Each structure stands twice: as C-alpha cells, then as structure tokens.
Amino acid sequence: MDLHALTMANAHKLLARGKISSVELTSAFLDRIEGHDDRIEAFITVDKPGALAQAAKADELIAKGLQSPFTGIPIALKDLLCTQGVKTTCASKILDNFIPQYDATVVAKLKAEQAVLIGKTNLDEFAMGSSTENSAFKVTRNPWNLDHVPGGSSGGSAAAVAAQFCCGALGTDTGGSIRQPASHCGVVGLKPTYGRVSRFGLVSYASSLDQIGPITRDVADAAMMMNLICGNDPKDSTSARMDVPNFTLALQQVESKSLRGMKAGIPKEYLDVEGIDPDVLVLFDRAKKVLEGLGVEIVEISLPHTEYVVAAYYIIAPCEASSNLARFDGVRYGFREHASQDIIEMYKKTKSKGFGPEVQRRIIIGTYALSAGYYDAYYGRASQVRTLIMEDFTKAFDQCDLILSPVAPTPAFKIGENTGDPLTMYLSDIFTLSANMAGVPGISVPAGFSSLGLPVGIQMMAKRFDEMSLLRAGFGFERALDLKTRFPVLS
Ligand code: GLN
C-alpha cells in the first residue's frame, strides 16, 4: 500500500483499525519529501523531529482508544500561520528568523486533535502573488510539470498535497490563493466565508479579505478539515458567531442523483473575459454538462460590475497591506539592518532589504492610495465599488444556489513567464477576487487536464455561510467526473 497516497479520511480509518501507525505514515511522507522536495521546493521548513515526536504521541493515544479524526494525520501549513516554536517566515527575509511564541487558532485546533504538523510551506512573500515566484527563498514548481508554476500564493501547500508530501494542508486566500493553486495542482481548495474561520495567528495581508481554508486530495477531506477549523473565536473580532454544521455527515447524504433541485448560475460577463484558454473553456463546458447530468439546473446570471473587480481589489488589498505591514520595522520582529546611523535610516534599510520587490510595490501603492488628497479618489471609490460587487452577488443568489466559473483563465503558466509583467499577473485573478470582495465562499474542484497535461479546476461559489452547498455539489461532481489520474508521477 502506498501510504503517501492516502486521503485524510482513509488514513484515519487505517490508523483507527491499527492497520498502520502514525509513525509509519509520517515517515512515508518524510521519505518522500527527502526524495523529491529538492526539485519541487514545496517546503520552507520540514519539522522532522517534531513530526516524528507528534506521531509517536498520536500512536500512544490511538493505542488507548483516545483518538479524533485528525489524530496522527500529517498536515502541512502555509508559512503564514504562526506556529509556536517553529519558524514562521511568510517567505520574507524580514521574518527569516521569526519564531512565534503562540499558535494560530487553526494550528492550536490541529494540535488539540493530535494532528502531525509536518512542515511549513512556501508562498508568495506575505501571500502577495499568484504563482509562488515572489518567495524570498525559493520558487515552488508544479509537481505535474516542473517547468510550470504551482499557482499562488499558497503554491507550496497545493504542491505538497499534489506531490503527496502530506495528507492535507492549510492555505490562505485573500483573492484566490487557495482556489487558484488548487486548480493548477489538481487538488481541492476551499475558501470559506469571511468570518467562518478564525484569522488569529494568521499574519495579515489584507484583513477584510483574508481567510484560511483547506487544500486536500478530495472534497470529503475538505469537509473534514472544515469541521475542525470553522467556528467562533474570541481572539478574532471578525470571526462569526455561526453554528458549524457537520459537513462530513451532509456529504454522506449525497446520492448520485441528489443534486437535483440545485441551480447553478453562469455569469455572462465571465465568458466575455479576454484571454481565456480554449482548453479551460472545453473543460468548463464539460463540467457544466456533468453537473447537468446530476440534475443541476444551469441558468445565466449577471454580475454587472465584473469589469471593475481587478482594479478595486488591487487598490483595497494594497491599502490594507500597507497598513498591516507597517509593523515590520526592524524593531519588533525579525530582521534588522544594524549598520545604520539613526532610527530613520534603520527603518529605511531594514524595509528595503527585508521586503521583496512585489511587497514594496504594494506598500507604495497602498500608502499612496491612502494618503490625504487621494484617499477618496482611490480607497473610498474602491470601497464603493466593493459594495456594488457585493450587491451583484446578493442579487445573483436570488436566482441560483451556486455560481459556476473557471478558476483562472489559463492552466498553470511557465515559471518566469509573467514575472516581468505585474498587470498580466493581476488580471489572471479575475475569477477568484470577487468571492473575497463579497465575502462569499468558493471551492475549486479538479475538472480535468489541459492538452499539455496540466490540471484545471472549476470554481463554485455560494451564499455566505453556505459552504454546505459547495461541498455537496463538489462531492457529487467529483464522483460523477471520476478522474482516473489524480496525482502526478514524480521522477
Ligand atoms: N493574487 C492575489 C494577490 O496577489 C491574491 C493573493 C491571495 O489570495 N493571497 O493579491
């Protein structure tokens, strides 16, 4: 049996029956990381001793019959989530020696269930990017084709799940960073409703848009992860006081034809977007037919403000980022340039050396757009557009339960192809940004392969707090499509 191929749910079953131990399972992943991660570069930190110790502890608990669905299951964490005692870099030089004194709430929840935290994954610096090329440390490669990007910013987590370096992972999504890399790597990624999952201990990029969510091998595992990470947290004032349903139980009720009664809307503006790859359109069309075959009624809807989404997002996100990143000043955290005459020079040198070019670009855009005289014209206006986008979604969801779209206009592009052209990179976020602007949940589910053999996902979005519909539809779709090839062969 290939232990590294197990889903979280299957690993749990085998652990519970005593067929495998967590130490065996964890060692299988560590061996695979050792054998292949020098080429894929999914991890910034692999915590081998920590993971093996946690696995041994999990095995003791399992032997006593004390186990939860996560006990002994190896999980990878995007290196933007604080882990007590384990370096948390945000893929930035400014934090390359930062060891948090506390755990993010999601990390604490995984630890409380004795999951095995195998390591911290690579990302675009501070989650700013769509390809994981903006990391200060390394470029992660797509396990399906090493010349291509894995997507981003949670590219390390998506690549780690696709390359079978862990059972599942956590990523974060501010404008698509869970869904887009999941699509590019052929795995499942879910961005929960804003407020569903506590952001405590997640290093903030754009606080009104950021959410943590699962990146997993299949939809059932995404449901399992959601059961654990969702819920109100007094440490995050934006976390919602909403009951968390048992997502896994709900999936068990999905029989092959039971998507009947669901309506999925396709925004007419989305198909007018320029530059959609023909392979993406073909796979999208097939996905639509698969859903129809399951009884989903497809309707045309309109999201009239789609053409303003990218512009508004790329004002709001940098504004929030410029404010959030002010805390990295060489005094309180991480790197400091000591060779300075006075404090102003120290700030300047620390930030110039500590932050990479994309992060500096965003801080400058954000600071400019928030400055006196420009605030109303940029941030104020973008916020008004955001309200219009939210209203578009509210109206659309009067007509349908799901909104269906591609995840990205193209399959994973080649490494280096877009790095010199930030605007093209920003435009590739067109289908994912709206969910964050409107605060609604979205999922990416594998939909097939491009003619070059690269994975492509489809996106479904739902009303706020209706992750249940996403998971049910995703689960039905995944089973009906029944892709035979799910994981790349690593050479
Ligand atoms: N690509 C988008 C950006 O660069 C989204 C990133 C994200 O979701 N973290 O801002």
Side-chain angles (χ1 to χ4, degrees), residues 109 192 196-197 225-232 244 247 467:
K109 285 186 174 191
R196 202 34 138 171
V197 178
M225 190 77 96
M226 288 290 286
N227 291 338
L228 179 70
I229 64 174
C230 293
N232 180 248
V244 181
F247 294 107
E467 287 87 358

Side-chain angles (χ1 to χ4, degrees), residues 127-130 153 172-177 205 313-314 362 429 433:
M128 297 178 190
S130 315
S153 63
T172 69
D173 192 311
T174 304
S177 283
Y205 161 16
Y313 171 90
Y314 276 99
R362 306 239 183 155
D429 294 339
L433 300 176

Side-chain angles (χ1 to χ4, degrees), residues 82-339:
C82 285
T83 42
Q84 185 178 30
V86 176
K87 208 170 61 162
T88 299
T89 67
C90 304
S92 181
K93 274 194 213 142
I94 213 155
L95 288 178
D96 70 352
N97 62 1
F98 175 58
I99 299 182
Q101 289 169 15
Y102 59 90
D103 283 321
T105 295
V106 290
V107 175
K109 285 186 174 191
L110 283 165
K111 280 191 181 167
E113 306 263 310
Q114 273 82 38
V116 172
L117 304 178
I118 199 159
K120 309 291 296 284
T121 58
N122 198 22
L123 62 148
D124 287 296
E125 187 175 358
F126 287 104
M128 297 178 190
S130 315
S131 66
T132 315
E133 292 166 295
N134 293 337
S135 164
F137 306 125
K138 46 176 73 176
V139 172
T140 301
R141 290 166 184 273
N142 192 315
W144 290 92
N145 183 332
L146 301 183
D147 294 333
H148 290 251
V149 301
S153 63
S154 312
S157 285
V161 175
Q164 304 182 320
F165 292 161
C166 53
C167 279
L170 288 180
T172 69
D173 192 311
T174 304
S177 283
I178 289 176
R179 291 159 286 156
Q180 185 256 26
S183 171
H184 286 354
C185 290
V187 294
V188 173
L190 193 157
K191 179 201 93 75
T193 307
Y194 184 77
R196 202 34 138 171
V197 178
S198 167
R199 291 182 296 111
F200 178 77
L202 159 65
V203 179
S204 299
Y205 161 16
S207 316
S208 77
L209 301 159
D210 299 340
Q211 268 295 284
I212 301 166
I215 298 185
T216 52
R217 297 211 201 301
D218 64 12
V219 175
D221 277 6
M224 182 171 155
M225 190 77 96
M226 288 290 286
N227 291 338
L228 179 70
I229 64 174
C230 293
N232 180 248
D233 178 11
K235 291 180 183 152
D236 171 2
S237 62
T238 61
S239 108
R241 277 178 230 280
M242 291 286 285
D243 288 340
V244 181
N246 185 329
F247 294 107
T248 302
L249 262 188
L251 293 192
Q252 286 163 5
Q253 289 148 12
V254 180
E255 293 307 330
S256 52
K257 286 266 162 13
S258 71
L259 298 184
R260 200 162 290 287
M262 267 193 166
K263 261 195 199 174
I266 300 185
K268 60 173 194 262
E269 294 80 5
Y270 279 22
L271 299 175
D272 293 339
V273 167
E274 261 174 54
I276 307 186
D277 186 279
D279 288 351
V280 170
L281 286 176
V282 169
L283 292 168
F284 181 66
D285 209 53
R286 178 174 78 173
K288 193 173 86 183
K289 294 203 176 96
V290 169
L291 286 169
E292 272 173 336
L294 289 167
V296 177
E297 185 189 340
I298 306 279
V299 293
E300 185 185 91
I301 55 160
S302 174
L303 296 172
H305 295 91
T306 297
E307 64 175 302
Y308 306 111
V309 167
V310 176
Y313 171 90
Y314 276 99
I315 292 294
I316 290 175
C319 284
E320 294 189 16
S322 72
S323 161
N324 276 323
L325 269 55
R327 76 191 67 178
F328 303 107
D329 54 6
V331 176
R332 282 169 286 191
Y333 312 86
F335 168 75
R336 172 188 300 183
E337 179 54 278
H338 287 280

Side-chain angles (χ1 to χ4, degrees), residues 405-479:
S405 79
V407 180
T410 66
F413 43 84
K414 280 206 161 142
I415 290 172
E417 195 173 318
N418 288 335
T419 35
D421 185 0
L423 271 186
T424 305
M425 198 76 106
Y426 298 169
L427 287 170
S428 73
D429 294 339
I430 175 78
F431 298 124
T432 48
L433 300 176
S434 302
N436 305 72
M437 294 289 264
V440 303
I443 193 170
S444 168
V445 184
F449 294 88
S450 72
S451 42
L452 283 178
L454 289 164
V456 172
I458 54 155
Q459 169 172 249
M460 299 187 239
M461 295 181 275
K463 290 189 192 90
R464 296 191 54 153
F465 297 105
D466 190 14
E467 287 87 358
M468 193 73 103
S469 290
L470 295 182
L471 289 163
R472 287 184 56 219
F475 187 68
F477 175 76
E478 179 183 68
R479 281 206 308 194

